[in-house]
Amino acid sequence: MASRFLGFSSFGATDASIADVVSRGYRGWLDHQFTLPQVMHLTHVDRWMFQIEPGKRPWEYARNLQDSFYMQALRGPDQLRQRVVYAMSQIFVVSMTSNNVIDRSRCHTSFMDMLGRNAFGNFRTLLEDVSTHGMMGVYLSHRANPKEDPVGGTSPDENYAREVMQLFTIGLLQLNPDGTPRRDSAGNTIPTYDNADVSGLAKVFTGWSWVPRDSSSYRFTENFPPSDIQIQPMVPYEQHHSLSAKSFLGVTIPAGTTARPSLRIALDTLFNHPNTAPFVSRLLIQRLVTSNPSPAYVRRVAAAFANNGAGVRGDMRALIRAILLDDEAILPPRSGDGRHGKVREPVLRLTAWARAFNASSNSNEFRIRTTNQIGQSPMRAPSVFNFYRPGFVPPGSTIATQGLVAPELQINTESQVTSYINFMKDVVEDGVGDNDDVSCSLVAEQALAGNPDALIDRVDLLLTGQRLSTATRSAIRTAILSVPTTATNANRTRARIAVLLALCSPEFLVQV
């Protein structure tokens, strides 16, 4: 059970982390994780950029944020924080695949650290820090967003105004407290906002750009200021901020209101909107625990978002506790419950392997880099909609007829299934990354190679939370025994077979 819990709350179970959860209990482990200091990605990236290989051009360093990601995911003590940050990075997406941001590695790194700083804080602060971060400003084009010009016939860019509602806070449809859509008297769903709301809110996000270098407005339109400027929150240039009335979601910000008060009113409106608690709660449940949480599960988590028990709304610690300590997370699914669980996404498959078997790095930099063979790399989503949409349903599947969703299956194509198996075969045998930088020795597993059942028990505990079926165990046992004990490197081969087959098993690939 501890191993299963760590599959939701960390980047994978280890012998030590299982013992820690058993010792502290689920709530005690979470409370301890909340006390651990944040490990900063920017510290690692800066050290590499300016000390290890000085003179490199900025766009050459995007890969080092990925190195830092894997270093912290595999070795970092603050597992819960980093796991929540990864989940949030798939909601508040800023992708290094965009040509607008690919050469802003320090800015992108500071965005990840900003998510980490807010992971255990308050959602309202997180929302403002996301909205004013230069990386988001560039990615969703509200940096240097000019006010409307009636003479020239131009209007503010509406990109961020649309996405902050659709993807970050309230979603497209009005929701009940349990996350189910509200319906009108005719049974139709009700839109949360319309184009007029987008246009009104877009005015709020005008006039924001880099910290100025002097009293002039030159930096408002400057594309590439020094990186130390890019990692600071954007500030308003009032001469570029719309002073007309801003109406959206039933709220009107009076004409003449300057940038910061306008932003405060807008974000407060989104934060306090009745959709925000169930919408955000469901997204985080999907990213951490299960793709199809019951309405009751969403309601309970949304209630914790709305009130942490002390009258505070948006308390991220209360939200995380509610998600990870709920019965639908803690208790195994009932037999025949097809709603429970989620497909384990590729990055989390890789980290589970590396953590379970104590992966080491030849360079001490964990240079896993991009992993195109498995269809996913951290911070490299193809669009603001992430690698997969939360409501994705495989066409023509029984999932669709049952009214369920399977987000991760959007990238789990037939070719990716084959590619994953081939990729993990090479990973288990030789390692992964630049020059196979990261690898596992499987010392403990080789010591059990003469006892196939004990070897299977070990990989079952670390990778699947003791969920391997009788049929899967039998298949792995047969494969292990196909290697004679007299064969060259028999123990190593047997250990590798057990690990690989467990990594390809349905019990590992579907996390419940």
Side-chain angles (χ1 to χ4, degrees), residues 353 357 428 440-447 491-492 495-496 499:
W353 159 77
F357 306 112
V428 171
C440 298
S441 63
L442 301 182
V443 172
E445 292 67 40
Q446 291 182 54
N491 287 353
R492 184 176 64 183
R496 287 175 174 175
V499 170

Side-chain angles (χ1 to χ4, degrees), residues 304-323:
F305 181 103
N307 185 340
N308 69 350
V312 176
R313 182 179 177 85
D315 180 352
M316 293 295 295
R317 296 188 184 198
L319 179 64
I320 293 165
R321 284 192 187 97
I323 291 172

Side-chain angles (χ1 to χ4, degrees), residues 161-223:
R162 180 178 297 102
E163 306 305 0
V164 73
M165 291 192 289
Q166 177 181 347
L167 302 178
F168 302 166
T169 55
I170 63 177
L172 293 172
L173 302 175
Q174 294 186 28
L175 302 175
N176 294 308
D178 63 4
T180 57
R182 292 182 58 201
R183 297 183 182 275
D184 61 21
S185 58
N188 300 312
T189 57
I190 308 169
T192 312
Y193 60 87
D194 58 24
N195 288 336
D197 294 312
V198 174
S199 297
L201 185 57
K203 295 179 183 179
V204 172
F205 300 106
T206 56
W208 292 84
S209 193
W210 314 118
V211 174
R213 65 182 180 184
D214 52 39
S215 59
S216 72
S217 63
Y218 169 78
R219 185 152 281 161
F220 180 74
T221 56
E222 184 179 10
N223 283 327

